[in-house]
Structure formats: C-alpha cells, structure tokens
Amino acid sequence: MMRLDRIILREIRLPLREPFRISSGEMRERRILLLELFDADGASTWSECVVDDAPNYSPETLDTAWPTIVRWLAPRLLGAELDAPSGVHARLEADLRGHLMAKAALEMGCWALAATKLGVPLSTLLGGTRTHIGTGISLGIQRDIPTLVAKATEALAAGYQKVKIKIAPGRDVEWISAVRASCGAAAHLMADANNAYTLDDADLLQRLDGLDLMMIEQPLAWDDLVRHAQLQRLLRTPLCLDESITSLERAQDMVALGAGRIINIKPGRVGGFAQSIAIHDYAADHGMPVWCGGMLESGIGRAYNVALASLPNFTLPGDLSPSARYWTQDIVAPEWTMDGTGMVAVPQSAPGIGVEVDRDRVRALTVRSEELRAT
Ligand code: OSB
Ligand code: MG
C-alpha cells in the first residue's frame, strides 16, 4: 500500500518560551529533527523525532538519530513495498538494537502516510475512539517555592486537569506540600522525578504518600524495574513508569514484578505506534490506566501524541499542553489549543496528522537538511 521513494531530514532550532528544567538537566532551546516522507505515488507527510540535544533523558540524541536514520533505518524502507504500517516496526527492529526514537520517527511517519493515502485521520487508523482528550501540564523545576505555587495555581485556573511537578532531591516534599496547601485537596497533582532517587530515599518518598498525589513518575533509575517494584510495595501512591518502559515486553515485566500501576506512553520512547498500541492493549487487559507523555514536541510531534491518546485506555490526562505553552509561534496551523475545561480536540476533518506545516517558517528555522532517495 506504500512505497517510500524520498525522505528529507531537517534540523530546526526552536527557542522555548521559558527554560524547562528536570532533575537531570535544563533545556532552553529545542533542536528538533523533522522528517518529511514521500510516497512513490505523490502523497507525503511530516514526522518528528523526539530526541533531545543531550542524553540526559534517553541515551539517544539528535546527533545519534540523524546518522542512524541515514545509514541504517531509511535504507530498510526506501523503495520497499510496505503492506501496512503495522509491519514497519518489525522491519526496523530486525538485528538493529536500540535507537527507538529514530525508529519511531520513521514508523509513525508511515502510519501518517497510510492515513493520508486512505483519506482518514491518523487517530482513526490507530483505533482512536475519543474526540477530546484531557490535558495536563508538566511544570519544570522552578526557581523557588512561591514561583512553583503560582504556576500550579495558574495552570489549574486555565483548566488543566492535572499538574505534574518535576522534583529532585531538596525540591520535593516541601515544594509539593506547598502546592497542595495552596491549591487544595481537589487539585490533581503528581510528581515526576526523572530518576533522581534511589531506594535509600524510600523514607523521603514515603512522605509524599501524605500528599495524595495521583502518581509518582519514574523516581528510580531510567532502566530499572526491580527496585521500582520494591519501592511500590512501600508506597500507597501509584508509581508510574516512563523511561523504563521501552517495549511491550518491559510493560509485561512491569506487571509481573508489580513495578508500578500506571504507564506513561510516549510513542517515540517505545519505537512507534505498533508498540504503543500493544502496550495500551496489554495495559487495558490488566486494568492498568495509561496516559500520553510529551517530549516538548513541536506541533508536528504533538499531532502524533494526540492521535494516539484518543485510544480508549488513555484514561488519564496527557502531557499535551497547547502550543503557546512552549513556543512564541508553533510551526503548524492551526496551533494546538485547549478549552477552558482542559480538553484538546482530536483532529477529525482532514486526512493524516490533521495540521498544516508552515513551510516558510520551517525553512527559516532550518540549520541543516539531507535528502535520501530510493536507490
Ligand atoms: O519525563 O515526561 C518527562 C520533557 C522532556 C523530557 C522528559 C519529560 C518531559 C516532560 C514534558 O515532562 C512534557 C511536555 O511535553 O509537556
Ligand atoms: Mg517523565
């Protein structure tokens, strides 16, 4: 049903409106890797690789993904007859270890291209059932407690259905207590540690149990399951895994070990949509809720996340903030928005990703590009 004959890679730089700080690093500007995929019969689509500049969240970076796509991944797809996008994951996975974000950029692009060719919205092709999705905000580590409290208050007033607060040693219990005290018992709060703790911090993390959080995301090492299981047994608050879940098998291990009760699915982190859907379905079968995380994507990557989050077991609000939270101006039209009740609309009318890419703006922001062709 598809044959890719051309792929263009572009790196753009997009400054964040405000720095985003997590326990392992800070970002001020996004270096974003965009792909444009062209089918032999003329259809095309854009996709985004969610790598960062630095390897503090994932071992992959923009500078590993680019050459991996050029030398190893794109040649597996260019010129090949692809029956369905569901088969692309296996084609990229065979004897090619890791590089899941690089793989995902191509795999997800193939899903969008297939949707475009079929004339259906991407969400429909993925099996999405919802027209609107609840949105949460992810607040980076702030300068001080009053700033954090002000940002959380403002987010709840804007309608956000969940406030995720980045934590790190010395910026945890006291900081979240202040938000809880100020925002009240009904506020949906959670914490994300991005691996900042070890089991030696179990006492401290147990103190978070008193703050009635929806969940604590990935407190321990980025690839750990066993210690998270030990920690979960000591906590009432559900643990949510992000970094550690990189495949269906890791999700199965998580359930078998009791390493947490909620999964944050980022399609880029698990190698694309086929794995995301498999994890979603497996979690649903095991009564485990999932939600869609974000990687400070541009409006292109966001379109992919929103489409995925329309699947039925994405029952918790996703990190799907409006474009204006991140950028002075996004690279898509319309920009992503949220209504006053914290809902983002799933594009229903246009085929494919459902947003138009502002080519002039992308051209102006591009710092390098490379075109790959079927040989
Ligand atoms: O851990 O979820 C995370 C951003 C970069 C790296 C890791 C994470 C995040 C976020 C941002 O939390 C969520 C968003 O896109 O709004
Ligand atoms: Mg996280």
Side-chain angles (χ1 to χ4, degrees), residues 289-322:
V290 303
W291 55 281
C292 184
M295 289 291 290
L296 311 176
E297 292 89 352
S298 79
I300 295 175
R302 219 23 84 97
Y304 285 86
N305 290 352
V306 168
L308 179 66
S310 70
L311 270 67
N313 191 40
F314 281 84
T315 51
L316 295 166
D319 283 344
L320 302 166
S321 289

Side-chain angles (χ1 to χ4, degrees), residues 13-286:
R13 305 258 167 109
L14 207 51
L16 286 161
R17 283 182 57 180
E18 51 185 59
F20 189 78
R21 187 163 158 214
I22 68 176
S23 61
S24 56
E26 187 186 66
M27 220 175 321
R28 293 174 172 270
E29 179 187 63
R30 287 284 282 120
R31 290 177 69 196
I32 298 176
L33 171 50
L34 298 178
L35 303 185
E36 201 177 0
L37 284 64
F38 298 86
D39 188 79
D41 75 6
S44 70
T45 194
W46 292 81
S47 78
E48 177 169 343
C49 184
V50 299
V51 285
D52 287 332
D53 175 50
N56 62 313
Y57 169 82
S58 152
E60 289 185 85
T61 68
L62 190 143
D63 300 302
T64 67
W66 188 298
T68 301
I69 290 169
V70 171
R71 176 160 180 203
W72 299 108
L73 297 173
R76 292 188 174 201
L77 300 182
L78 284 166
E81 289 295 338
L82 304 172
D83 295 337
S86 53
V88 171
H89 176 73
R91 187 180 274 269
L92 297 180
E93 207 46 41
D95 303 328
L96 209 167
R97 312 293 180 235
H99 301 284
L100 295 173
M101 292 177 177
K103 289 170 179 171
L106 286 166
E107 197 254 14
M108 293 159 74
C110 287
W111 283 88
L113 197 56
T116 304
K117 293 188 73 172
L118 292 166
V120 299
L122 178 58
S123 61
T124 305
L125 187 64
L126 296 177
T129 52
R130 271 168 313 126
T131 60
H132 292 80
I133 299 156
T135 306
I137 194 170
S138 175
L139 293 177
I141 296 171
Q142 303 296 317
R143 183 170 0 111
D144 50 31
I145 292 177
T147 308
L148 174 63
V149 170
K151 293 238 151 120
T153 306
E154 190 189 325
L156 291 166
Y160 279 108
Q161 297 181 9
K162 179 183 86 183
V163 176
K164 162 164 134 177
I165 299 165
K166 294 288 186 179
I167 58 170
R171 290 146 192 282
D172 41 44
V173 180
E174 199 193 338
W175 292 53
I176 299 207
S177 298
V179 175
R180 174 59 78 206
S182 176
C183 295
H188 293 143
L189 306 179
M190 63 168 289
D192 185 359
N194 292 108
N195 334 130
Y197 300 91
T198 70
L199 277 179
D200 291 341
D201 302 308
D203 287 354
L204 183 144
L205 294 166
Q206 276 177 314
R207 289 169 56 206
L208 291 172
D209 257 348
L211 295 172
D212 198 24
L213 301 179
M214 299 169 80
M215 67 195 96
I216 302 169
E217 185 173 338
Q218 197 78 32
L220 308 180
W222 68 283
D223 56 351
D224 173 80
L225 291 172
V226 170
R227 289 160 195 80
H228 279 100
Q230 288 174 257
L231 180 62
Q232 181 66 89
R233 286 194 284 277
L234 300 172
L235 296 177
R236 269 188 296 116
T237 310
L239 291 181
C240 168
L241 295 186
D242 172 355
E243 286 90 328
S244 289
I245 305 302
T246 50
S247 63
L248 172 63
E249 290 74 18
R250 291 294 83 71
Q252 292 168 338
D253 295 348
M254 172 185 177
V255 169
L257 291 165
R261 303 194 192 123
I262 298 171
I263 302 176
N264 167 345
I265 300 182
K266 294 177 180 171
R269 193 195 64 224
V270 303
F273 282 144
Q275 283 291 290
S276 299
I277 295 168
I279 294 167
H280 163 277
D281 294 351
Y282 178 79
D285 289 345
H286 290 77

